[in-house]
Amino acid sequence: MKMHEIILRPLVTEKSTLAREQRRVVSFAVNPRANKHQVKQAVESLFQVQVEAVRTMRMPRKSRRLGRFTGRKPEWKKALVTLHEGQSVEFFEGV
């Protein structure tokens, strides 16, 4: 699996922003088939940072309704990446 296929997008929410500012934890939506070692290698190579720890979790499917039609959103995987002291990811920084 290629590095760009492992990390799909960053997660920017209130909770992830507070975690990034207070605990150096960056959140990403990752490929459901990727494991912790692959996520760590991808973050280190794409953003040139040192990763301390990676936690992954599967987010469950959710039911959604549009009018009288019901459907389900797909299951996806989230990775919480803890960076070493003094490290940061550049695209989250202000200009």
Side-chain angles (χ1 to χ4, degrees):
M1 202 177 305
K2 296 179 183 174
M3 298 298 168
H4 292 286
E5 294 175 353
I6 294 173
I7 297 181
L8 303 178
R9 66 183 181 277
L11 297 177
V12 183
T13 61
E14 273 188 69
K15 194 172 185 179
S16 67
T17 304
L18 287 174
R20 182 172 31 91
E21 292 171 356
Q22 295 174 357
R23 300 187 317 253
R24 302 177 329 269
V25 175
V26 185
S27 303
F28 294 102
V30 296
N31 190 323
R33 293 179 292 175
N35 59 28
K36 292 181 182 188
H37 301 291
Q38 292 171 334
V39 171
K40 180 178 179 179
Q41 290 174 351
V43 171
E44 286 179 343
S45 68
L46 290 175
F47 303 111
Q48 285 79 37
V49 293
Q50 294 178 343
V51 174
E52 187 174 313
V54 176
R55 295 185 302 164
T56 60
M57 60 192 81
R58 288 191 176 272
M59 304 306 291
R61 297 178 64 164
K62 291 185 178 180
S63 296
R64 290 292 181 242
R65 183 175 170 159
L66 183 62
R68 66 186 179 119
F69 302 104
T70 59
R72 293 179 66 93
K73 290 181 75 173
E75 177 181 57
W76 57 287
K77 192 171 191 178
K78 181 183 354 183
L80 302 176
V81 179
T82 306
L83 304 176
H84 277 282
E85 189 72 37
Q87 301 283 318
S88 66
V89 176
E90 287 96 24
F91 66 85
F92 283 125
E93 303 302 321
V95 179

